[in-house]
Amino acid sequence: MCGIVGYIGSRDSQPILLEGLKKLEYRGYDSAGLAVHTSEGLHIRKTKGRIQELESRLEHQPLIGFAGIGHTRWATHGRPSDVNSHPHADNRMKISVVHNGIIENHQQLKEELEQLGHVFLSETDTEVISHLIAQYYKDNLVHAVQQAVSRIRGAYAIVVLSEHEPDKLIAVRWASPLIIGVGEGENFIGSDIPAILEYTRDVYILGDGEMAVISRDTVELMTLEGNFIAKQLFRIDWDIMMAEKGGYDHFMLKEIYEQPRAYRDTMRSRIEDNGHSVSLPEVQITPERLKLISHIHMVACGTAYHAALVGKAVIERLTRIPVEVDVASEYRYRQPVIRDNTLVIVVSQSGETADTLAAMREAKQCGAQVLAITNVVGSSVAREADHVIFTWAGPEIAVASTKAYTSQLIAFYLLTLYVSQTMNTVDVQERKELLDMLKQLPEQVEAMLEQTEPIIQTAKQIAVHDDLYFIGRGLDAMVAQEASLKLKEISYIHSEAYPAGELKHGSLALIEEGTPVIAIATQEALLEKTISNMKEVKARGAHVIAVAMEGNTEIIKAADEVLYIPRTHALLTPVLSVIPLQMLAYYAALTRGNDVDKPRNLAKSVTVE
């Protein structure tokens, strides 16, 4: 879960590498470093802390050269420190490496290399790679890298720069994302598109087991065995401003406000002009096969898992197909029962989440058809799934996911309506009503985002507390889980989400005088029961904040304050009710003085297991 950049060309590499690292700092920010081939040979500058600290050091000790690599780190092996920062080098400072991933057999390799006289300076698994390449180097850097990589096990994206052959960079990928940007007289490497978007829109997306040998004017693609391969250049059509803050104080706030646009883009061209049906040409399951599906498994992590919980409820309600939802890190270890008529749906914003990828591969090995919901074209999940629904949310930079979650919900609604119309489980009028209300959601969110003052005031109240609880029933209980995660990851307030009916089974013991309890109460069929639960916590001293649909006056009797959302169909409420809860987390974190876009201990894309 680190950011990698590389450059080779005719320009000074340092500013290009630094700018790329800044674009990738959301992937890791406990240390950063550069290696550049200068007129005096290979030199490295690296430091614990944010990129600004590296930049400050480079002002006094610049690295001038036309080829270089850079890295921003989120620690997995070895505590954050100067010496554990990347890039790493061999003892002779001839070969430098940056790496994203985990080398599972690094200890065994380290002991072997130490017996051959290699001296290690860091606690990292990555340093093994530079020493291993140095051990195999015999006047051919490509062969040395291939031999070294054949010895390592794990997940990795590796970029190598060597003083022996300074006219090339070598990039290798296995289970961690890596792209090659193609320019004129210069080429680029990045672990994510924003790192290179300022310089080129033409990229090769490396697949597992592929490597690239990059010079100023050429990009040679091959397998790890040395067989040359041809790949199609992928054209990036993002607006550069989509990957910048655009005047907002934080990426997270920008992405909250981008949600209406993300909803529209995800729905665009997928709702037929008559407004009665959904078109998903990317889902190539025949109607006959679709009607045979008797069970669905959903697999995801974190926020995507919470989106899948909503997806389960909606699919079961409208299609009557039973659905299981699993945390991806547990799925493949429980030996899931997969039959010919089981569909597996995997959900991942980046399409590179290691646990989700592993679970998907397990499902495919068991013979399942896999449908992916993802945001990134060309990602591993997108390439390996049988069917893909892209959310078209645009780049999500903030570690705390917002628009990815809600656009995943939109994708689930579209998928469910598509399946239900094929299986004829929802009549035309109900489907039209749902689609009409689905199309109204962007405008409703825009209206909500124009009236944030009550949310800001509530956020200031809860920011002084160290414990907070979310309750809800039905779909509200599922939204409560995402709201709790959002609050925890950026405000560091301990919070828990409970189905409201579970309070009396133990969790009421946690309520003290003044404890904030946020009750999500948008499911009007369950309203009386939810209000009863609100009264239970209020009777024990809780300060109750409710989220309810406009026009709900009963809620006022049980809540100390109410945040209203526009009226919509009961199944669509999660897309609206999560908005004030995202804002609540954001402003609570600001009130507590936290860095919203760089929450402690977290990284954006979890590409290690």
Side-chain angles (χ1 to χ4, degrees):
M1 291 170 291
C2 309
I4 287 173
V5 293
Y7 173 78
I8 187 164
S10 57
R11 291 192 270 177
D12 183 13
S13 62
Q14 178 179 301
I16 295 171
L17 295 171
L18 277 173
E19 191 60 32
L21 289 183
K22 290 175 184 177
K23 297 293 195 302
L24 294 178
E25 195 173 14
Y26 66 92
R27 295 180 62 93
Y29 39 80
D30 60 42
S31 57
L34 301 183
V36 173
H37 185 265
T38 72
S39 59
E40 299 174 349
L42 183 66
H43 286 275
I44 294 175
R45 302 279 188 270
K46 57 184 184 176
T47 183
K48 175 186 173 183
R50 300 288 172 86
I51 291 170
Q52 290 90 333
E53 294 174 53
L54 173 65
E55 196 169 23
S56 177
R57 181 175 177 186
L58 287 167
E59 287 179 5
H60 303 287
Q61 297 175 297
L63 294 173
I64 308 299
F66 305 122
I69 56 179
H71 189 271
T72 180
R73 181 174 186 250
W74 185 81
T76 53
H77 286 76
R79 67 190 184 280
S81 68
D82 287 356
V83 72
N84 285 336
S85 306
H86 296 216
H88 289 283
D90 68 309
N91 290 146
R92 296 175 59 215
M93 277 292 295
K94 300 296 183 183
I95 293 169
S96 182
V97 169
V98 291
H99 161 234
N100 178 19
I102 289 179
I103 306 304
E104 294 172 356
N105 61 333
H106 76 280
Q107 190 59 41
Q108 171 193 336
L109 293 170
K110 181 177 180 179
E111 291 169 3
E112 176 186 318
L113 288 162
E114 285 176 331
Q115 290 178 0
L116 294 171
H118 292 258
V119 177
F120 287 82
L121 303 177
S122 77
E123 304 166 292
T124 70
D125 55 341
T126 301
E127 190 181 358
V128 167
I129 304 171
S130 55
H131 286 262
L132 203 57
I133 296 170
Q135 182 64 30
Y136 285 119
Y137 184 75
K138 299 291 186 292
D139 299 322
N140 190 314
L141 187 61
V142 173
H143 289 171
V145 171
Q146 289 171 332
Q147 287 179 281
V149 170
S150 72
R151 298 289 315 282
I152 65 179
R153 296 195 312 271
Y156 49 82
I158 299 166
V159 183
V160 182
L161 170 67
S162 173
E163 185 175 310
H164 297 302
E165 300 178 34
D167 59 341
K168 62 173 65 84
L169 301 176
I170 298 178
V172 186
R173 175 207 163 123
W174 187 272
S176 286
L178 205 58
I179 60 172
I180 311 300
V182 178
E184 293 186 8
E186 58 184 2
N187 290 302
F188 308 83
I189 300 172
S191 49
D192 209 347
I193 288 168
I196 65 173
L197 194 57
E198 182 178 340
Y199 308 105
T200 181
R201 293 178 174 273
D202 295 317
V203 303
Y204 290 114
I205 300 172
L206 290 189
D208 286 348
E210 294 178 353
M211 64 185 298
V213 181
I214 303 148
S215 69
R216 292 185 181 190
D217 300 306
T218 63
V219 176
E220 294 180 331
L221 303 174
M222 64 186 75
T223 66
L224 295 181
E225 294 74 32
N227 300 316
F228 288 96
I229 55 177
K231 292 179 81 77
Q232 186 173 358
L233 270 177
F234 185 77
R235 181 73 178 175
I236 306 299
D237 57 6
W238 290 352
D239 182 341
I240 290 177
M241 287 302 294
M242 291 176 70
E244 300 291 346
K245 289 183 185 176
Y248 290 92
D249 290 336
H250 297 91
F251 282 115
M252 183 181 177
L253 186 62
K254 173 178 179 278
E255 289 158 10
I256 288 173
Y257 276 84
E258 284 178 339
Q259 287 175 108
R261 193 270 312 156
Y263 295 7
R264 291 187 180 100
D265 286 351
T266 301
M267 285 188 272
R268 184 170 291 124
S269 78
R270 288 169 169 162
I271 298 176
E272 298 287 5
D273 290 340
N274 61 16
H276 293 183
S277 57
V278 173
S279 173
L280 291 177
E282 58 268 59
V283 177
Q284 295 293 315
I285 307 175
T286 64
E288 293 75 22
R289 181 68 187 268
L290 205 54
K291 291 173 183 176
L292 291 175
I293 292 172
S294 63
H295 206 101
I296 295 174
H297 292 181
M298 292 185 186
V299 184
C301 300
T303 287
Y305 171 77
H306 297 153
L309 292 175
V310 175
K312 165 187 165 71
V314 174
I315 287 175
E316 289 185 337
R317 160 72 172 78
L318 296 181
T319 72
R320 309 312 296 160
I321 300 173
V323 180
E324 294 180 32
V325 184
D326 272 277
V327 174
S329 58
E330 295 291 328
Y331 181 74
R332 65 184 174 127
Y333 299 115
R334 71 170 179 87
Q335 297 181 323
V337 179
I338 296 174
R339 300 187 176 91
D340 290 342
N341 51 8
T342 300
L343 174 68
V344 175
I345 300 176
V346 300
V347 191
S348 169
Q349 187 280 139
S350 68
E352 301 292 349
T353 310
D355 289 316
T356 304
L357 269 170
M360 180 180 76
R361 289 165 180 163
E362 176 76 12
K364 287 179 71 71
Q365 194 170 4
C366 293
Q369 279 215 40
V370 175
L371 185 151
I373 296 175
T374 186
N375 189 35
V376 180
V377 176
S379 63
S380 295
V381 160
R383 293 198 312 274
E384 295 183 29
D386 300 299
H387 316 277
V388 185
I389 300 175
F390 290 108
T391 54
W392 307 123
E396 187 177 68
I397 306 300
V399 171
S401 180
T402 53
K403 65 177 180 176
Y405 171 75
T406 48
S407 59
Q408 286 163 1
L409 295 185
I410 299 293
F412 269 121
Y413 292 128
L414 293 171
L415 174 63
T416 303
L417 289 166
Y418 174 77
V419 174
S420 69
Q421 74 193 25
T422 303
M423 299 178 66
N424 199 29
T425 55
V426 175
D427 65 56
V428 173
Q429 188 55 41
E430 183 179 2
R431 187 165 64 244
K432 183 179 185 302
E433 179 186 350
L434 273 164
L435 287 170
D436 285 343
M437 292 189 175
L438 196 64
K439 289 186 287 187
Q440 293 173 25
L441 292 173
E443 290 76 18
Q444 289 178 315
V445 173
E446 285 170 343
M448 294 169 69
L449 292 173
E450 290 175 359
Q451 301 174 9
T452 59
E453 190 56 34
I455 298 170
I456 295 170
Q457 295 308 314
T458 301
K460 290 178 179 178
Q461 294 174 31
I462 68 172
V464 301
H465 293 272
D466 294 320
D467 298 282
L468 186 147
Y469 301 96
F470 292 86
I471 61 173
R473 286 176 175 265
L475 286 171
D476 290 335
M478 297 160 194
V479 174
Q481 292 194 44
E482 172 60 13
S484 177
L485 174 63
K486 217 50 51 196
L487 187 71
K488 281 184 282 200
E489 63 187 342
I490 60 171
S491 76
Y492 316 145
I493 297 171
H494 165 256
S495 71
E496 302 290 344
Y498 294 104
E502 283 293 293
L503 286 170
K504 52 186 168 291
H505 296 289
S507 47
L508 267 176
L510 297 169
I511 304 301
E512 300 176 333
E513 188 67 35
T515 301
V517 173
I518 298 178
I520 309 171
T522 69
Q523 301 301 294
E524 296 190 335
L526 299 168
L527 186 59
E528 287 186 4
K529 293 183 181 298
T530 304
I531 287 176
S532 176
N533 299 134
M534 292 165 61
K535 290 178 178 177
E536 282 181 322
V537 294
K538 194 170 175 62
R540 288 156 178 83
H543 180 83
V544 179
I545 302 156
V547 177
M549 280 203 280
E550 289 172 345
N552 183 343
T553 55
E554 286 298 307
I555 204 81
I556 299 170
K557 301 173 185 176
D560 294 290
E561 50 193 294
V562 183
L563 301 174
Y564 284 107
I565 66 169
R567 298 198 70 78
T568 189
H569 192 287
L571 289 179
L572 303 181
T573 57
V575 184
L576 298 179
S577 62
V578 77
I579 302 296
L581 300 173
Q582 292 171 346
M583 299 288 281
L584 208 60
Y586 173 80
Y587 284 109
L590 278 192
T591 302
R592 291 167 71 96
N594 297 345
D595 189 338
V596 174
D597 284 339
K598 300 181 177 68
R600 66 188 182 203
N601 303 330
L602 300 178
K604 178 63 178 175
S605 183
V606 184
T607 54
V608 294
E609 185 178 356

